[in-house]
């Protein structure tokens, strides 16, 4: 997943405005503008690295010049104690940006690390791990980037780039008449002919209706392993299959050879724990 400079600038500028405001009073009072320093980003925990493209943009938003040098690749596993990167230059800039830089890096490394655990739990399976829209408002692109860095794949970015007929859409469509799924699919095809369509199926009857309607994806929501196996048999290759709901690391070994195309996991972004990373100054 590529992050555009413009999108990263927008996110970084909001973060700087939130934290720095009219100025870093403490740093401006204590440090002279000509002082230059070097500092290392050091992880205190095993992690998968993600976030240095954002930090490159972040430091460029400050007036004092600094040079950021990543020491590892995005998506690389880094044992505790590893130096992830170094920053050199204006002390005022480095100290003022420190907390925001660490907030981004710790959060994104946490998502990438958790994603890699899910990917590894599938072993040699052809099933792919997907993220969801359960992201921090305003940070979706960054968090989905971190999933990609951890070896996962990205689901739709928002409501605009894929049709997804969920349970509430189906229930409200029933108010307009019978055969909610085929009618909803037909309406979406007519209005948005270029978008792929996914239907969330709660039951095997939903699966049959969605497959018959010719959608590209069918999401098997909160189904048992046996129900999903039967759903895959019913679909018979007519649509890509995605499992979601109740997916845990412990459950993945039982699902990896079921024949699913995708497994989507909201926990990758809504429940990932930030990695403990410090910015250590070099004397």
């Amino acid at each position: 997943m590529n992050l555009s400079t413009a999108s990263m600038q927008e996110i970084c500028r909001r973060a700087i405005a939130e934290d720095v405001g009219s100025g870093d009073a403490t740093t401006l009072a204590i440090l002279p503008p000509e002082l230059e320093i070097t500092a290392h980003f050091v992880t205190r925990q095993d992690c998968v690295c993600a976030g240095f493209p954002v930090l490159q943009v972040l430091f460029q938003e400050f007036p004092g010049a600094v040079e950021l040098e990543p020491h590892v690749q995005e998506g690389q596993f880094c044992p505790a104690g590893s130096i992830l990167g170094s920053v050199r230059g204006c002390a005022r800039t480095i100290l003022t940006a420190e907390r925001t830089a660490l907030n981004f890096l710790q959060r994104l490394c946490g998502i990438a690390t958790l994603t890699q655990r899910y990917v590894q739990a599938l072993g040699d399976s052809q099933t792919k791990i997907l993220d969801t829209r359960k992201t921090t408002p305003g940070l979706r692109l960054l968090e989905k980037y971190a999933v990609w860095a951890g070896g996962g794949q990205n689901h739709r970015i928002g409501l605009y780039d894929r049709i997804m007929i969920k349970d509430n859409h189906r229930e409200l469509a029933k108010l307009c008449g019978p055969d909610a799924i085929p009618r909803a699919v037909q309406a979406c095809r007519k209005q948005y002919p270029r978008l792929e369509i996914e239907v969330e199926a709660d039951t095997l009857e939903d699966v049959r209706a969605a497959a018959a309607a010719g959608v590209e994806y069918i999401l098997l929501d909160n189904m048992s392993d046996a129900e999903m196996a039967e759903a895959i048999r019913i679909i018979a290759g007519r649509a890509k299959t995605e499992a979601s709901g109740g997916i845990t690391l412990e459950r993945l070994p039982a699902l990896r050879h079921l024949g699913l195309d995708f497994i989507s996991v909201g926990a990758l972004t809504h429940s990932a724990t930030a990695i403990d990373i410090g910015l250590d100054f070099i004397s």
Side-chain angles (χ1 to χ4, degrees):
M1 178 181 179
N2 292 322
L3 288 171
S4 71
T5 299
S7 65
M8 289 189 286
Q9 285 176 332
E10 180 183 358
I11 292 169
C12 289
R13 287 168 184 172
R14 288 200 308 266
I16 292 168
E18 176 183 64
D19 196 40
V20 180
S22 60
D24 177 0
T26 309
T27 297
L28 291 172
I30 294 173
L31 301 183
E34 68 276 8
L35 180 64
E36 295 194 350
I37 58 172
T38 298
H40 295 321
F41 289 97
V42 181
T43 180
R44 320 294 191 207
Q45 299 173 268
D46 293 351
C47 74
V48 174
C49 182
F52 275 97
V54 186
L55 268 58
Q56 292 280 13
V57 172
L58 176 72
F59 282 110
Q60 291 171 7
E61 292 296 316
F62 289 87
V66 299
E67 178 185 356
L68 179 66
E69 179 186 2
H71 292 181
V72 298
Q73 299 294 317
E74 296 288 287
Q76 180 178 331
F77 174 77
C78 304
S82 298
I83 298 176
L84 305 180
S86 299
V87 61
R88 305 175 184 86
C90 176
R92 281 185 172 183
T93 292
I94 294 172
L95 197 56
T96 299
E98 175 186 11
R99 184 69 269 153
T100 301
L102 287 173
N103 285 346
F104 280 137
L105 193 61
Q106 290 173 322
R107 173 72 176 152
L108 299 185
C109 287
I111 292 171
T113 302
L114 182 59
T115 300
Q116 188 180 85
R117 291 176 187 153
Y118 274 82
V119 171
Q120 290 176 340
L122 285 176
D124 60 354
S125 173
Q126 297 300 305
T127 305
K128 305 300 182 184
I129 292 292
L130 295 176
D131 54 24
T132 71
R133 289 168 48 241
K134 296 177 181 178
T135 55
T136 307
L139 297 181
R140 177 170 297 169
L141 291 179
L142 298 190
E143 293 180 348
K144 282 180 170 283
Y145 166 79
V147 168
W148 172 84
Q153 293 188 7
N154 300 132
H155 206 294
R156 60 178 180 163
I157 300 300
L159 298 172
Y160 56 87
D161 58 341
R162 179 186 293 184
I163 299 292
M164 190 163 182
I165 302 169
K166 296 177 68 66
D167 53 352
N168 286 337
H169 295 111
R170 295 197 319 268
E171 290 304 310
L172 293 175
K174 289 178 182 178
L175 300 178
C176 303
D179 301 321
I181 288 177
R183 282 192 302 100
V185 171
Q186 184 179 20
C188 292
R189 288 272 187 234
K190 181 177 180 181
Q191 189 156 348
Y192 298 98
R194 296 184 179 181
L195 293 182
E196 293 183 314
I197 297 178
E198 181 165 6
V199 168
E200 180 181 275
D202 295 332
T203 67
L204 295 179
E205 285 305 309
D206 292 339
V207 169
R208 292 186 179 91
V215 300
E216 285 79 13
Y217 302 89
I218 299 176
L219 187 152
L220 311 176
D221 189 43
N222 285 297
M223 289 188 179
S224 68
D225 296 2
E227 287 174 319
M228 285 193 283
E230 177 62 13
I232 292 168
R233 188 194 67 77
I234 291 168
I235 295 166
R238 288 178 287 173
K240 298 288 187 181
T241 55
E242 174 187 341
S244 189
I247 305 297
T248 63
L249 277 168
E250 294 73 22
R251 191 180 176 190
L252 288 182
L255 300 180
R256 62 184 182 181
H257 296 307
L258 200 60
L260 293 162
D261 293 294
F262 305 102
I263 296 174
S264 56
V265 184
L268 300 181
T269 50
H270 72 58
S271 295
T273 301
I275 298 297
D276 184 4
I277 300 171
L279 186 61
D280 296 348
F281 292 90
I282 310 303
S283 57

mmCIF file of all heavy atoms in Angstrom, residues 22 131 164 167 181 216 268:
data_model
loop_
_atom_site.group_PDB
_atom_site.id
_atom_site.type_symbol
_atom_site.label_atom_id
_atom_site.label_comp_id
_atom_site.label_asym_id
_atom_site.label_seq_id
_atom_site.Cartn_x
_atom_site.Cartn_y
_atom_site.Cartn_z
ATOM 1 N N SER A 22 0.776 26.745 19.762
ATOM 2 C CA SER A 22 1.511 27.984 19.504
ATOM 3 C C SER A 22 3.013 27.848 19.726
ATOM 4 O O SER A 22 3.774 28.780 19.456
ATOM 5 C CB SER A 22 0.967 29.107 20.398
ATOM 6 O OG SER A 22 1.110 28.758 21.769
ATOM 7 N N ASP A 131 -7.732 -6.455 6.714
ATOM 8 C CA ASP A 131 -8.154 -5.525 7.756
ATOM 9 C C ASP A 131 -9.618 -5.156 7.540
ATOM 10 O O ASP A 131 -10.300 -5.721 6.670
ATOM 11 C CB ASP A 131 -7.260 -4.278 7.761
ATOM 12 C CG ASP A 131 -7.177 -3.604 6.390
ATOM 13 O OD1 ASP A 131 -8.097 -3.785 5.566
ATOM 14 O OD2 ASP A 131 -6.184 -2.898 6.137
ATOM 15 N N MET A 164 -20.780 -2.910 -0.222
ATOM 16 C CA MET A 164 -20.840 -3.965 0.780
ATOM 17 C C MET A 164 -22.215 -3.931 1.430
ATOM 18 O O MET A 164 -22.549 -3.018 2.198
ATOM 19 C CB MET A 164 -19.750 -3.805 1.833
ATOM 20 C CG MET A 164 -19.623 -5.003 2.748
ATOM 21 S SD MET A 164 -18.049 -4.997 3.638
ATOM 22 C CE MET A 164 -18.210 -6.533 4.553
ATOM 23 N N ASP A 167 -25.776 -6.515 7.088
ATOM 24 C CA ASP A 167 -27.039 -6.982 7.651
ATOM 25 C C ASP A 167 -28.065 -5.870 7.779
ATOM 26 O O ASP A 167 -29.253 -6.062 7.477
ATOM 27 C CB ASP A 167 -26.803 -7.659 9.007
ATOM 28 C CG ASP A 167 -26.022 -6.798 9.979
ATOM 29 O OD1 ASP A 167 -25.522 -5.722 9.589
ATOM 30 O OD2 ASP A 167 -25.899 -7.204 11.154
ATOM 31 N N ILE A 181 -31.956 -9.399 -0.877
ATOM 32 C CA ILE A 181 -30.586 -9.485 -1.387
ATOM 33 C C ILE A 181 -30.523 -9.278 -2.904
ATOM 34 O O ILE A 181 -29.763 -8.410 -3.373
ATOM 35 C CB ILE A 181 -29.922 -10.809 -0.957
ATOM 36 C CG1 ILE A 181 -29.612 -10.776 0.542
ATOM 37 C CG2 ILE A 181 -28.646 -11.063 -1.771
ATOM 38 C CD1 ILE A 181 -29.017 -12.059 1.090
ATOM 39 N N GLU A 216 -19.410 -10.495 -6.342
ATOM 40 C CA GLU A 216 -18.000 -10.879 -6.407
ATOM 41 C C GLU A 216 -17.488 -11.481 -5.108
ATOM 42 O O GLU A 216 -16.559 -12.299 -5.120
ATOM 43 C CB GLU A 216 -17.133 -9.670 -6.771
ATOM 44 C CG GLU A 216 -17.193 -9.225 -8.219
ATOM 45 C CD GLU A 216 -18.434 -8.407 -8.554
ATOM 46 O OE1 GLU A 216 -19.150 -7.966 -7.620
ATOM 47 O OE2 GLU A 216 -18.691 -8.204 -9.755
ATOM 48 N N LEU A 268 -7.002 -6.273 14.272
ATOM 49 C CA LEU A 268 -5.695 -5.818 13.788
ATOM 50 C C LEU A 268 -5.500 -4.333 14.051
ATOM 51 O O LEU A 268 -4.395 -3.886 14.365
ATOM 52 C CB LEU A 268 -5.543 -6.081 12.290
ATOM 53 C CG LEU A 268 -5.637 -7.529 11.812
ATOM 54 C CD1 LEU A 268 -5.435 -7.587 10.308
ATOM 55 C CD2 LEU A 268 -4.648 -8.419 12.541
#
